[in-house]
Amino acid sequence: ASDDEEGSHRNRDKDGDTDKQSSPSTSNQPQPQPHQHQQSEGTIDAEFDEEDYLDRLQRAKKLARSEISTRQWDRYKFSEIDLDEALGPVSDNCERISCHAVTAEEFRQRFEVPCKPCVITGLLDKWPAYNKWTYSSLCERYGNVRLKCGEDDEGYKVKIRLDYFARYAKTQQDDSPLYVFDADFGDEGKPTLPLLNEYEVPEYFKEDLFQFVGEDRRPPYKWILIGPKRSGSSIHTDPLATSAWNSVISGRKRWVLFPPGTPKAAVKPPDWMAKKDREAVDWFLQHFSAIKCSLPAHQQPLELITGPGETIFVPTNWWHTVLNLDDTIAVTQNFVSSTNFPAVWLDARTSRTKLSRKWLRELKEIKPELYEVAQRLAASGAGEMTAEHHLDLILEERLAKKEAKKERKRLKREKKHHKHRD
């Protein structure tokens, strides 16, 4: 996802706060102004169990970020900093358009084909969510629903009740707070499923090629984001070379995007990577200026703020990081279109090979022109090889490596056993 956690596609689900326990559970353009619904205040304290709240919050923190103790979450005192003042004026060098002035085909030619980010206004004007979703209203409807706010060290989801999270957001002074980033809210059987009917995928991003592998097999692709001030997403590119859109319902998000080809070592410098807790707020406050100065002109970043009612388009392979300047609510989705399909296929065939086999079979029947693209990519990289044969070879190689690893472990155990006998 754009504005996401390094793009993990794990589907394992162990609710970190419950299931592991025995108990249940300066630009010239005007900057967007905070939405009237951005504040966390609301009627979220009715029948509130303070002891249970504090206990589950501490457990969620320990699981989500085991690298630091819960006493260290506010050690830098970033809550005492005025973020707007500390970060200074934003360059706002990303093009902005109105959805009422640009057709879907014009958008594709102007932005998607050249892989160019932009900010779009007007897309949320008719969304019920734009006027309905606030911290307090969501808690009134779904206060006891647990949403994902992180992952533990084993990749399992850490969840927290929404009303507990809203209380935390209103009172927290953490340097980099917990951040609700939930991909399951729209799943069948979930209490939050009705939220899907309160927003719609913008016309520019309707094409959805991963749908052909089936909802149960496709990687996670849509999220509801509820982020307190100072929370954010660390620098990353989106998984499987997908593109993304991110629509802000309330609050403001500050973005930095680096073009494809910018070295990873440049945007993730060694002094930042050496830290145990590599959080977005720290990157923005203590590293961004030096990173920017170190890059040549063609790798200089786009800098912008998105506010209520605005949507950003993040194309394939753009590095990006996001910092919530206010308490925010947003929705985001990753997508595969005919335009970015070649990049996604090249990534998916090695990182999600079994899924790619099913995808290829479906594309042959439903999108034969893209099936031919996959064939041409296979032939260009490996002589006259077909895409199917290429996938088979990737799986065979992976299996061979897996068997070799098992054999090395067996020999190591055997050697250790003989050593003890001697």
Side-chain angles (χ1 to χ4, degrees):
S2 168
D3 190 15
D4 72 349
E5 317 111 315
E6 293 287 349
S8 172
H9 279 332
R10 295 186 178 106
N11 280 320
R12 297 185 296 171
D13 188 0
K14 183 182 287 187
D15 297 352
D17 63 331
T18 55
D19 290 2
K20 288 190 174 183
Q21 320 297 330
S22 58
S23 59
S25 94
T26 315
S27 163
N28 293 326
Q29 300 189 29
Q31 292 304 312
Q33 296 302 310
H35 192 262
Q36 61 179 339
H37 293 150
Q38 80 177 56
Q39 299 301 323
S40 304
E41 288 82 1
T43 55
I44 60 175
D45 298 327
E47 302 180 7
F48 202 83
D49 188 330
E50 189 74 22
E51 184 177 350
D52 188 59
Y53 158 70
L54 292 173
D55 178 58
R56 292 185 184 275
L57 177 62
Q58 291 302 307
R59 280 192 269 170
K61 284 186 170 184
K62 289 178 181 177
L63 288 168
R65 292 177 62 191
S66 64
E67 71 274 10
I68 61 173
S69 73
T70 54
R71 294 187 301 273
Q72 293 179 301
W73 279 59
D74 64 349
R75 64 192 184 283
Y76 298 126
K77 307 302 178 186
F78 287 157
S79 64
E80 300 174 4
I81 296 174
D82 183 314
L83 288 179
D84 291 291
E85 181 179 339
L87 295 172
V90 67
S91 300
D92 199 17
N93 52 353
C94 183
E95 186 172 352
R96 294 173 181 266
I97 62 170
S98 167
C99 69
H100 305 299
V102 180
T103 68
E105 180 57 25
E106 288 172 336
F107 181 88
R108 192 182 77 85
Q109 293 295 338
R110 286 177 56 184
F111 299 102
E112 195 176 5
V113 171
C115 202
K116 179 182 178 182
C118 69
V119 175
I120 312 156
T121 61
L123 291 173
L124 281 64
D125 290 351
K126 296 182 180 180
W127 286 15
Y130 188 47
N131 293 311
K132 291 177 64 174
W133 291 10
T134 66
Y135 276 70
S136 57
S137 69
L138 290 174
C139 285
E140 287 169 3
R141 298 167 66 186
Y142 306 112
N144 63 350
V145 175
R146 288 172 291 119
L147 299 176
K148 180 183 174 183
C149 62
E151 287 185 356
D152 69 10
D153 293 341
E154 298 175 1
Y156 290 107
K157 299 172 185 177
V158 178
K159 293 188 176 184
I160 190 169
R161 282 176 50 142
L162 182 55
D163 56 354
Y164 286 6
F165 184 80
R167 162 70 77 86
Y168 165 72
K170 184 172 68 172
T171 60
Q172 60 85 22
Q173 294 184 316
D174 292 336
D175 296 324
S176 180
L178 291 170
Y179 190 1
V180 163
F181 212 111
D182 193 278
D184 301 332
F185 76 98
D187 288 357
E188 288 292 333
K190 296 287 184 179
T192 48
L193 178 61
L195 294 176
L196 283 184
N197 297 322
E198 296 173 12
Y199 74 95
E200 64 176 335
V201 177
E203 184 65 28
Y204 301 144
F205 314 120
K206 291 284 190 183
E207 191 174 23
D208 177 23
L209 295 177
F210 265 145
Q211 67 177 301
F212 300 129
V213 301
E215 196 69 20
D216 58 335
R217 295 193 62 180
R218 67 180 301 168
Y221 67 103
K222 61 180 182 293
W223 293 264
I224 184 171
L225 316 177
I226 306 175
K229 186 175 184 178
R230 294 182 305 282
S231 62
S233 296
S234 295
I235 188 77
H236 66 282
T237 58
D238 283 341
L240 299 176
T242 53
S243 299
W245 57 270
N246 181 298
S247 294
V248 180
I249 293 170
S250 65
R252 297 172 300 146
K253 293 177 177 287
R254 185 154 178 160
W255 297 75
V256 173
L257 302 92
F258 297 91
T262 305
K264 179 179 180 179
V267 299
K268 293 186 173 186
D271 55 340
W272 185 68
M273 291 297 292
K275 296 184 175 182
K276 290 189 297 183
D277 51 334
R278 297 184 290 272
E279 300 297 317
V281 64
D282 174 74
W283 188 96
F284 271 88
L285 289 171
Q286 301 184 355
H287 298 273
F288 176 47
S289 293
I291 292 170
K292 188 175 177 181
C293 291
S294 71
L295 290 170
H298 68 283
Q299 292 174 348
Q300 285 298 303
L302 298 178
E303 302 177 58
L304 64 139
I305 292 174
T306 54
E310 295 185 328
T311 298
I312 186 172
F313 165 56
V314 181
T316 295
N317 290 329
W318 276 76
W319 289 98
H320 54 283
T321 181
V322 193
L323 181 64
N324 291 317
L325 300 176
D326 310 304
D327 293 344
T328 60
I329 301 175
V331 290
T332 187
Q333 288 194 195
N334 288 57
F335 67 93
V336 188
S337 67
S338 297
T339 302
N340 68 356
F341 172 76
V344 176
W345 177 257
L346 288 173
D347 191 309
R349 69 184 186 181
T350 54
S351 58
R352 298 297 297 269
T353 310
K354 291 183 178 179
L355 177 143
S356 295
R357 295 174 86 175
K358 176 176 175 56
W359 198 20
L360 189 65
R361 290 195 299 269
E362 296 299 324
L363 290 175
K364 185 177 182 179
E365 300 297 324
I366 303 170
K367 292 277 187 178
E369 70 278 11
L370 296 180
Y371 174 81
E372 291 303 322
V373 170
Q375 297 295 344
R376 289 196 296 271
L377 289 171
S380 65
E384 296 301 315
M385 186 180 298
T386 66
E388 289 87 349
H389 188 200
H390 190 203
L391 291 174
D392 289 342
L393 287 180
I394 291 172
L395 287 173
E396 289 173 10
E397 181 181 356
R398 188 171 299 159
L399 179 61
K401 288 181 178 179
K402 186 175 181 180
E403 291 299 320
K405 185 177 181 180
K406 286 172 62 176
E407 180 64 12
R408 288 195 299 271
K409 286 184 176 181
R410 187 191 67 79
L411 292 174
K412 187 176 181 180
R413 287 195 303 268
E414 190 175 277
K415 183 177 180 181
K416 186 176 181 181
H417 176 71
H418 286 309
K419 184 177 181 180
H420 284 311
R421 288 182 61 184
D422 294 342

